[in-house]
Amino acid sequence: MRHMLIKGLVATAVVAALAGCNNSDDDKVPTTCAEAGSACTTFTVLHTNDNHGRFWENSDGEYGMAARKTLIDGIRAEVSKNGGQTLLLSGGDINTGVPESDLQDAIPDFTGMNKIGYDAMAVGNHEFDNPLSVVDMQRRLAEFPMLAANIYRKKADGSQGERYFDAYKVFDVNGLKVAVIGLTTEDTAKIGNPEFISDLIFTDPKTEVAKVIKEIKDAKAADIIFATTHMGHYADAQNGSNAPGDVAMARALKEGELQVVIGGHSQNPVCMEPGTDNKAYANFKPGDECAPDKQNGTWIMQAHEWGKYVGRADFEYFNGELHLASYKLVPVNMRKLDDAGKKTADLAGTKIEPDAELKELLSYYQEKGQAKLDEVIATTDALLDGERANVRNKQTNLGRMLAMAQSAKVTADFGVMNSGGVRASIQPGNITYRDVLTVQPFGNMVTLNEMTGTEVAAYLGAVGSLQIGSGGYAQITGVKMTIDCVAKTANISEINGKDFSPTGAYKFTVPSFNAAGGDGYPKLASPIQTGFVDADLLYSFLKEKQAIVAADYSPIGDIVYENSKSVEGCQL
C-alpha cells in the first residue's frame, strides 16, 4: 500500500472534494486508507513515560536510552521510507529513581532525550521533587517543550496567575496540524514536595483540557488534538485515592473532541483484556500484543515505565477521521518471562544494539561518583521488600524498617512512613550507598511531632484510612490498633508496647513531605525538623547495624482494617 502526503489538507476539504464528485463507483466515500489514496495521511506516534532516571541499562542489559535511540531511529527511518512521519512524546516523570541521575538533577536523562529527539513531554509530579530553580534549569536544557496546561503561578495574594508552562504545542505532522496538550495530575498539590510547589496552583485537568480544546478550535489551530498527560490510567475510571486520570477525563469530554491521550503516572502497560469492554487489564508480558484503551472516542496509551518499551501507534487520517492502523509496545531488550513471572535468558524481541555515540556520552554520567555509590555499608540475609506493588498494598519489612529506623533515631514512640517514599527493594547480600539512595531518593527531612492520645487517634484514623495502592498508604510501627476504613477512625490499644491513653503524650516521626500535607496527610501545625535527611539516616542505621536480619522487621499483624475489601489496608 502506497501512502502519499497531503499538505495542509483538513477534514472539510476532504469532504468537500468528495461531495463535488459524481456518484460513480469510483467516487464513493473511501473506507480504507488504500481507497483514499493520496487523500490519506499516515503518521506514527512513539511514546515513553516515567523514565525515573533510568538513562542507563540495568544489570540484565534491559532498556537504557542508548538502545532506545537505536530503536527509535530505526522506526523513524522505516516510517519515512513508507511516506509517513513520526512524533515522539513523553508522559513525564523524568526525575527521581536512581542515584546516578538524582545526584545530577536528571541532566543525563534530559541530555539523552535531546539526542533521541523528543518532540514534547508532559510535566510529571516528580519534576517537582527539586526546587523550581532545578525545574527551570531542566526547561532550559530540554530542546523540546515541557507542557502543562493546568499548572499556574500563584500571585502574591494567593490568586491564580499565568501558566508556568506552555499549555500546548502544534506540530505539522505529514501535512496535518496536530495539537498536543500537556496535563499534570492535580494530585501534585498533595504528592509534590510542599517546600517546592508553594508558589504554584494545580487546577482540575478535566476543566483545563476543555478550555484549551475550545481555544484551539476557535483559533482553527489544528486538524486533530492529542494530549500528553501525567495523570494515570485507571481501568473503568476506578482511581481509588488517586485523582481522576485519563479515563475520567476522556469520559468528561464530548465524543471526538480529543483523539488520543499519551499518558503516564500510573506506570502500567495500558493493554486491555479483550471482551471486557475495556474495563480490565490484560496480563501483559514483554513481547505480547497490546490493545490500548478507548473511551468516548479517545484512544488512551501508556508504555509502562523506565523506557522498558517504546509505544508505537501507526495512524491513518482520511475522510476527516483518525484511524488507528496498528499499535504495539516494542520491548527495549526486555527479557521474556516464564509462567511464574520470572525472567528468562531469552529476549522478548530482537536484540537492539545501543547507539554507540549516545552510550559513550551517557557513560560519563554513569561513571561519575561510582566509588561512593558502591561502598558496602551492611548486609541483609533476605529481601527487604520495597516493590511498588507490595509496599503500597500491605505492610512490608522494608517499609517497617524505615519507620522504625526514623523513630528510633529520635526516641519517638512510633513511626509513620509513606509507601510512596519507598522506591525500590534491597536484594539479599551486600547493601551499598547506591541501594540507600535508590530506596529513598527524595531527600526528605525526618520530622518529630508530639500529640495527645486523642489527637494521635484522629491523625492515625486519617492516615491509616488512605486507600491501598496509593503512595499515601502508611507503613506504621509501634502502634497496635484497628482502623475503620469507612468511619476513618483508629481504635488504639497500645503505643510503644504500653496501654494507650487518650490523655497521654506521644511522640512520632513522619517525613517532612507528609508533615507538610503531602500524599493527603493532615498538615501538621508545628513539626520539629530533626535535621536528619531520610537517606542519610538510613545510611547511618544500616552502617551501625552491619548485619540486617530481615525477619526482625516483618509485619506482626498489629494493625487490623475493618470495613475493607482487603485485610492489608483500606479498600472500599
Side-chain angles (χ1 to χ4, degrees):
M1 180 168 60
R2 185 168 181 260
H3 301 294
M4 299 182 68
L5 311 187
I6 50 171
K7 297 296 184 181
L9 187 61
V10 296
T12 53
V14 175
V15 175
L18 292 168
C21 296
N22 295 324
N23 293 324
S24 67
D25 290 340
D26 293 337
D27 297 322
K28 67 179 182 179
V29 175
T31 58
T32 66
C33 190
E35 290 178 359
S38 61
C40 178
T41 301
T42 62
F43 65 97
T44 296
V45 173
L46 305 178
H47 63 97
T48 60
N49 57 277
D50 294 273
N51 184 73
H52 286 298
R54 266 73 176 188
F55 67 89
W56 198 254
E57 63 190 39
N58 69 4
S59 58
D60 292 320
E62 297 176 307
Y63 52 87
M65 282 186 153
R68 192 192 311 175
K69 184 177 189 303
T70 299
L71 172 62
I72 289 173
D73 285 350
I75 295 174
R76 282 195 180 113
E78 172 204 330
V79 170
S80 178
K81 183 179 179 180
N82 291 326
Q85 190 174 328
T86 58
L87 188 66
L88 177 58
L89 303 174
S90 166
D93 267 8
I94 309 307
N95 288 271
T96 307
V98 295
E100 292 91 342
S101 174
D102 298 342
L103 290 172
Q104 300 174 80
D105 292 330
I107 288 174
D109 306 88
F110 280 94
T111 300
M113 291 177 75
N114 287 340
K115 295 296 183 182
I116 293 170
Y118 277 76
D119 292 297
M121 66 168 274
V123 175
N125 58 286
H126 282 290
E127 268 60 89
F128 300 101
D129 291 340
N130 303 300
L132 291 185
S133 59
V134 175
V135 179
D136 291 338
M137 176 276 291
Q138 293 173 347
R139 293 173 71 179
R140 292 190 298 270
L141 175 61
E143 296 172 0
F144 49 86
M146 298 171 66
L147 303 174
N150 64 314
I151 302 178
Y152 290 84
R153 297 179 186 273
K154 186 184 295 182
K155 293 182 179 178
D157 62 2
S159 62
Q160 184 173 300
E162 297 179 347
R163 285 193 176 102
Y164 193 67
F165 300 93
D166 289 338
Y168 68 94
K169 170 81 171 178
V170 177
F171 297 91
D172 186 315
V173 183
N174 222 4
L176 284 174
K177 292 181 179 178
V178 180
V180 178
I181 304 170
L183 295 161
T184 305
T185 175
E186 59 194 302
D187 267 350
T188 308
K190 68 177 182 180
I191 62 178
N193 193 322
E195 298 174 51
F196 303 147
I197 62 174
S198 58
D199 292 331
L200 300 177
I201 294 174
F202 298 83
T203 61
D204 183 348
K206 297 191 300 299
T207 302
E208 208 69 42
V209 73
K211 184 192 307 180
V212 178
I213 288 173
K214 184 179 185 304
E215 178 184 337
I216 292 169
K217 286 186 172 182
D218 288 348
K220 295 181 171 56
D223 301 315
I224 50 179
I225 303 176
F226 285 19
T228 180
T229 71
H230 193 83
M231 296 166 52
H233 183 277
Y234 310 107
D236 199 27
Q238 301 300 305
N239 56 291
S241 292
N242 299 287
D246 296 328
V247 174
M249 178 181 70
R251 291 177 177 178
L253 294 168
K254 292 179 181 178
E255 185 171 353
E257 284 194 317
L258 185 63
Q259 280 71 46
V260 179
V261 171
I262 301 298
H265 186 52
S266 50
Q267 296 180 225
N268 55 322
V270 175
C271 304
M272 310 310 292
E273 182 68 25
T276 64
D277 197 26
N278 286 346
K279 292 184 178 180
Y281 294 116
N283 183 24
F284 177 82
K285 293 181 180 179
D288 285 355
E289 297 294 320
C290 177
D293 197 0
K294 192 174 188 181
Q295 298 287 334
N296 199 26
T298 301
W299 292 104
I300 306 175
M301 305 164 178
Q302 188 177 157
H304 201 186
E305 63 185 1
W306 304 355
K308 293 176 179 178
Y309 306 90
V310 172
R312 174 177 178 170
D314 295 305
F315 290 104
E316 298 170 346
Y317 184 81
F318 61 93
N319 250 17
E321 294 182 352
L322 184 69
H323 303 268
L324 180 62
S326 66
Y327 183 76
K328 62 180 69 176
L329 291 182
V330 185
V332 184
N333 291 334
M334 295 296 293
R335 303 287 185 89
K336 287 183 178 179
L337 303 180
D338 62 20
D339 293 339
K342 293 184 178 180
K343 287 183 184 180
T344 69
D346 299 324
L347 291 179
T350 57
K351 171 67 176 176
I352 302 169
E353 293 298 332
D355 179 85
E357 183 178 344
L358 182 55
K359 189 163 186 176
E360 182 179 1
L361 173 62
L362 294 178
S363 67
Y364 164 77
Y365 299 104
Q366 178 67 9
E367 293 167 5
K368 195 174 180 180
Q370 288 294 301
K372 181 64 176 175
L373 292 177
D374 290 330
E375 174 193 357
V376 176
I377 55 178
T379 62
T380 176
D381 65 342
L383 177 75
L384 295 172
D385 189 359
E387 291 301 310
R388 180 188 177 99
N390 295 332
V391 77
R392 296 189 180 208
N393 289 279
K394 62 183 180 181
Q395 302 291 296
T396 73
N397 54 10
L398 181 55
R400 288 172 53 79
M401 188 181 81
L402 295 173
M404 292 170 71
Q406 292 175 8
S407 60
K409 183 70 174 181
V410 293
T411 321
D413 296 296
F414 66 94
V416 178
M417 180 69 208
N418 67 313
S419 60
V422 186
R423 305 306 289 188
S425 295
I426 297 178
Q427 300 298 319
N430 290 337
I431 303 174
T432 66
Y433 188 35
R434 180 194 310 279
D435 295 321
V436 170
L437 292 175
T438 303
V439 171
Q440 295 203 292
F442 300 128
N444 284 308
M445 192 79 71
V446 176
T447 70
L448 180 64
N449 307 270
E450 185 169 353
M451 291 182 176
T452 66
T454 299
E455 292 169 335
V456 165
Y459 182 79
L460 290 179
V463 170
S465 60
L466 291 170
Q467 294 278 295
I468 63 172
S470 72
Y473 176 77
Q475 302 282 329
I476 303 173
T477 61
V479 183
K480 190 173 183 179
M481 62 180 172
T482 298
I483 297 289
D484 188 320
C485 295
V486 173
K488 299 184 178 180
T489 57
N491 183 5
I492 304 173
S493 57
E494 291 182 9
I495 291 183
N496 200 17
K498 299 178 183 178
D499 290 342
F500 173 72
S501 169
T503 59
Y506 297 99
K507 294 180 180 180
F508 67 95
T509 53
V510 67
S512 58
F513 166 72
N514 304 100
D519 268 339
Y521 281 46
K523 187 174 181 178
L524 299 173
S526 53
I528 299 171
Q529 301 292 339
T530 64
F532 298 115
V533 175
D534 52 11
D536 291 341
L537 190 153
L538 178 59
Y539 173 89
S540 300
F541 174 83
L542 292 170
K543 197 161 188 177
E544 181 180 344
K545 291 285 185 183
Q546 291 288 299
I548 298 296
V549 178
D552 290 346
Y553 306 96
S554 296
I556 56 177
D558 47 1
I559 305 175
V560 176
Y561 297 91
E562 292 183 339
N563 295 319
S564 172
K565 294 178 182 178
S566 172
V567 298
E568 302 286 358
C570 288
Q571 184 180 27
L572 302 179

